[in-house]
Amino acid sequence: MLRKNKWLMMIAVVAMIALLAACGPDRDEEPTPAPEDSGEETTGDGEEATADKPELLKMWVNDEESQLDAYEEITTRYEEETGIAVEIIPFSMLEQIDALSLDGPSGTGPDLFFQPHDRLGEVYLQGLAAELELTAEQLDGYTEGAIDAFSYEGGQYGIPAVTETYGLFYNKALVQDVPETMDDLMVIAEQLTNASNDEYGFLMEAGNFYFNYPFLTATGGYVFGEDADGALNADDVGLATDPVIEGAEMIQSWYENQYIPQGINMDIINGLFQDGKVGAVVTGPWAIPDYSGALGDDLGVAPLPTMEGQALHSFSGVKGWLVSEYSEHKEWATDLALFITNAENSFTYYDTAGELPARTDVEIDDEFRAPILEQAEHAIPMPNIPEMSQVWDPMADAFEFISQGEDVREVLEEAVEDIELQISSMGAGE
């Protein structure tokens, strides 16, 4: 039986949303401008700033050693070029939002803080980030998707630093030619799959919406529609439209053909791939150390195959820098964010911390990571509105039923009903 009408009123969530909407500082009437030519002192971005130069800027940097090391090197350059000292404060990015809501008003918060883009909705509701006014020249070089990841309600609230997505990893001992199309991949699946021996041509965690998104949207599917201004519209959930149903039926056929076994997860996929029993898998750069250690020179990485002549759009996660609404040096903080994410410094960060830059003008020679960066140019950031949190569980449930042979259209329509119900409960009492 399909599970239906999961009444999740979530009183705590409703209360939190109302509280967040009511609190936070008043937003500036105008967005923080990019540095402009004024005959004043030149900034580290090569522009000229109109605001008085501060003696010190503070950054909350995620508390991982490699990231701290990278920004120590990068901010030293900024200090040398501008004369502005930069204080780096180690701070877990997952704890920064709660802390800034307290430290900001007291004057002890940072000028810049670091967040994943899918928390931007929460940041926006609390009024923690300043809206930025950036020129096309300053945004040149960043991927379009990464820029969009830090836009909200038509405004720009962050500068992207790094991006993460997934691609196709394959075993050269089993797959001699890179599968460039989905037809190529299905041929491999048919030729190499022997489920009785735990041998497969192609595996992915097909029940995970994060990974199956490219196949659901290949022919025009979408999660949320957009309004006339390009802002995401949570009232338009597109996950039971014909293109999504078509993609889900394709995924269902993989189960029916025994290309992918029911209930498989990434732990099992990783083990089989490292044991040399799988031709190709869909995963991300986090798997590179283990995969390369197991397969050595036999490991290959490529962007996702094309489908009907078009690139597949994977989901991406983007992390970047936000200027605190409480900062007294917003213009210079913006300049610092642009400096530490420019092409040169993005490469330094990649070289030290190993995270891929959210830019198109940084050359990555690594044979495993360069294809992921290529795929990132076609990636779509996960929706950054709070309503996205209501999508994951219903879609996971839906694909569990789809893997068992349930009617795809009926399953997805009921999933959308659940999503819409849960979204409406978020706004109850407004």
Side-chain angles (χ1 to χ4, degrees):
M1 293 291 294
L2 298 179
R3 287 189 288 177
K4 191 174 183 180
N5 294 332
K6 294 183 290 185
W7 290 88
L8 303 177
M9 296 307 294
M10 302 185 305
I11 295 174
V13 173
V14 174
M16 180 188 72
I17 295 295
L19 177 62
L20 295 182
C23 67
D26 293 335
R27 300 184 189 280
D28 287 344
E29 292 184 2
E30 299 293 335
T32 299
E36 300 175 353
D37 291 344
S38 66
E40 301 295 331
E41 199 148 357
T42 301
T43 73
D45 189 321
E47 298 282 351
E48 294 177 350
T50 58
D52 292 337
K53 179 188 289 188
E55 294 183 359
L56 176 71
L57 292 171
K58 294 182 180 180
M59 295 172 56
W60 281 356
V61 177
N62 191 42
D63 57 349
E64 291 191 16
E65 184 175 355
S66 62
Q67 297 176 26
L68 292 166
D69 289 344
Y71 283 120
E72 287 284 358
E73 179 178 349
I74 292 167
T75 56
T76 296
R77 297 173 189 162
Y78 188 77
E79 294 176 17
E80 292 172 350
E81 294 191 21
T82 66
I84 300 173
V86 179
E87 180 180 355
I88 290 177
I89 301 168
F91 210 129
S92 169
M93 65 179 177
L94 299 181
E95 298 175 2
Q96 290 182 17
I97 293 178
D98 289 343
L100 185 57
S101 65
L102 299 174
D103 293 353
S106 69
T108 60
D111 298 288
L112 284 180
F113 62 107
F114 187 72
Q115 284 296 297
H117 86 274
D118 56 353
R119 299 192 74 188
L120 185 59
E122 183 180 354
V123 170
Y124 177 84
L125 287 173
Q126 294 195 53
L128 300 179
E131 183 178 354
L132 308 179
E133 184 179 348
L134 300 171
T135 66
E137 181 180 0
Q138 287 173 312
L139 292 176
D140 184 44
Y142 299 96
T143 65
E144 182 178 354
I147 294 170
D148 290 344
F150 282 99
S151 66
Y152 201 91
E153 296 291 334
Q156 191 71 30
Y157 289 91
I159 298 172
V162 297
T163 189
E164 184 175 82
T165 191
Y166 41 91
L168 191 72
F169 289 64
Y170 62 99
N171 186 336
K172 296 177 183 178
L174 302 176
V175 178
Q176 283 71 45
D177 298 320
V178 179
E180 296 183 354
T181 70
M182 283 301 298
D183 288 341
D184 295 339
L185 190 58
M186 291 301 99
V187 169
I188 292 169
E190 182 178 1
Q191 292 178 344
L192 297 184
T193 297
N194 183 348
S196 62
N197 287 340
D198 287 333
E199 297 172 352
Y200 298 92
F202 160 63
L203 285 179
M204 61 173 281
E205 196 174 30
N208 186 332
F209 182 55
Y210 176 70
F211 289 113
N212 64 32
Y213 172 83
F215 309 100
L216 302 179
T217 58
T219 59
Y222 60 93
V223 183
F224 297 113
E226 297 182 356
D227 62 21
D229 297 324
L232 293 174
N233 178 12
D235 293 329
D236 179 8
V237 180
L239 292 172
T241 56
D242 287 345
V244 175
I245 291 169
E246 179 183 348
E249 288 174 342
M250 177 178 65
I251 292 173
Q252 188 176 63
S253 74
W254 300 343
Y255 292 107
E256 293 172 345
N257 293 328
Q258 297 188 329
Y259 296 159
I260 295 179
Q262 292 181 23
I264 196 164
N265 59 40
M266 284 309 305
D267 288 338
I268 297 172
I269 291 171
N270 290 338
L272 291 173
F273 187 74
Q274 291 175 62
D275 288 343
K277 292 190 172 186
V278 184
V281 302
V282 173
T283 190
W286 51 84
I288 291 173
D290 289 340
Y291 281 13
S292 61
L295 299 185
D297 293 339
D298 283 337
L299 177 64
V301 183
L304 294 177
T306 61
M307 185 170 169
E308 298 185 4
Q310 301 295 319
L312 289 175
H313 299 289
S314 53
F315 256 154
S316 67
V318 185
K319 291 179 284 189
W321 291 99
L322 293 79
V323 175
S324 171
E325 182 63 58
Y326 299 99
S327 172
E328 296 180 357
H329 311 293
K330 293 185 178 69
E331 184 177 335
W332 283 97
T334 303
D335 181 65
L336 174 58
L338 290 167
F339 179 87
I340 62 180
T341 60
N342 67 24
E344 177 186 357
N345 292 320
S346 290
F347 181 81
T348 297
Y349 184 82
Y350 159 75
D351 197 41
T352 305
E355 294 190 284
L356 294 173
R359 302 186 65 97
T360 61
D361 54 0
V362 178
E363 185 175 346
I364 303 296
D365 293 329
D366 187 299
E367 64 175 312
F368 302 139
R369 291 174 175 84
I372 301 296
L373 191 59
E374 182 180 347
Q375 176 63 41
E377 295 186 30
H378 303 293
I380 303 296
M382 291 177 288
N384 59 15
I385 57 177
E387 291 84 354
M388 183 60 189
S389 64
Q390 308 307 320
V391 172
W392 301 105
D393 287 347
M395 290 302 287
D397 291 343
F399 274 90
E400 181 178 349
F401 294 123
I402 287 170
S403 74
Q404 297 168 3
E406 297 276 1
D407 181 84
V408 171
R409 182 178 295 274
E410 183 181 351
V411 167
L412 290 178
E413 287 176 348
E414 293 194 1
V416 168
E417 288 180 12
D418 281 346
I419 292 167
E420 291 174 341
L421 178 63
Q422 293 181 41
I423 288 175
S424 67
S425 74
M426 292 177 68
E430 287 186 353

